[in-house]
Amino acid sequence: YTLASPNNNASHTLTLPVATGTLLTTTGDGSGLTGIGGSAQTVDVFTSSGTYTKPAGLVAVKVTVVGGGGGGGFLNNTAQNNGGGGGGGGGTSIRIITAATLGATETVTVGAGGTPNAAGGTSSFGTLATATGGAQGGSLTTIVSSTNGNLGGLGGIGASGDINQHGEVGGMGFCLTTGGANANVSGDGGNSIMGGGALGVFALATSGANGNNAVGYGGGGAGKRSRAVATSLSGGSGFAGIVIVEEMY
């Protein structure tokens, strides 16, 4: 039905279908609008493990679960011209969950970031969404030759979500030899869906270097760079995961 211009003084009747609820009303300039249905939203962020309590009036939640990043790989103190592999990024699970499906409370677990040469921890929202941590970067404990390579750790994976995403695989550590000079490169840490993977270490030097730590949720740590060093060095640590709960009313 087409309503006449407000400047037209003719009378018109608009017949609405029968329905329950409040009709949209206005004073004419929009300042008195009422009866508009909304979808107010609040966000709960868990950077450590805890408990989520379902509030009254909740319609649904969108949950994003990210696993912890894996730690970077390291090499023993006699390894020559080498780089440890980067840790894998944490996986991600994203799910829309209706209030009826939620319990009164849900246990929230945030996976720890992997220490050097250790995998990241698994994050979860109750039993409704889970994401595993990234694997640790490759490490060398037995010398095969003076120049060796180490693979990066696999990324974690989400489960039970509407979207289940792998974390990025950590970068490979290796040695480049050219003109008698050696360049030792450790693997980058893998990114999660939020990024955060550590940058690998590169140098033309006779000394080793620790791997860089991850910088964001679910990111993997970088591997250690080595060159026949007699001191103890390690890969970088992965970053802890995160659980984000977006509430819709």
Side-chain angles (χ1 to χ4, degrees):
Y1 186 88
T2 302
L3 293 176
S5 166
N7 294 325
N8 188 328
N9 294 323
S11 296
H12 297 274
T13 300
L14 177 63
T15 302
L16 298 174
V18 176
T20 59
T22 304
L23 296 178
L24 176 66
T25 61
T26 177
T27 60
D29 62 0
S31 61
L33 284 172
T34 61
I36 301 176
S39 181
Q41 192 173 55
T42 57
V43 180
D44 292 332
V45 178
F46 292 85
T47 56
S48 60
S49 298
T51 301
Y52 174 78
T53 301
K54 180 172 65 174
L58 184 72
V59 174
V61 294
K62 176 186 174 184
V63 176
T64 301
V65 178
V66 180
F74 65 87
L75 303 97
N76 65 26
N77 293 339
T78 60
Q80 298 183 15
N81 302 328
N82 217 307
T92 300
S93 177
I94 301 173
R95 181 175 176 181
I96 303 294
I97 307 169
T98 63
T101 303
L102 293 171
T105 60
E106 296 288 351
T107 300
V108 177
T109 302
V110 175
T115 56
N117 204 36
T122 296
S123 297
S124 61
F125 182 77
T127 60
L128 301 172
T130 303
T132 59
Q136 68 267 32
S139 299
L140 190 68
T141 56
T142 301
I143 302 304
V144 179
S145 67
S146 62
T147 55
N148 303 276
N150 290 281
L151 296 176
L154 294 176
I157 178 63
S160 302
D162 300 313
I163 299 174
N164 297 306
Q165 178 69 43
H166 282 277
E168 183 181 27
V169 176
M172 181 179 180
F174 57 92
C175 172
L176 294 173
T177 301
T178 177
N182 295 307
N184 304 299
V185 184
S186 72
D188 295 340
N191 290 316
S192 73
I193 196 172
M194 295 185 164
L199 184 65
V201 182
F202 168 85
L204 287 170
T206 58
S207 62
N210 290 318
N212 292 318
N213 295 328
V215 296
Y217 298 113
K224 163 193 169 182
R225 179 181 65 78
S226 178
R227 175 111 190 251
V229 295
T231 56
S232 179
L233 298 170
S234 68
S237 295
F239 209 95
I242 190 170
V243 176
I244 302 171
V245 184
E246 300 172 65
E247 298 171 334
M248 291 166 278
Y249 294 89

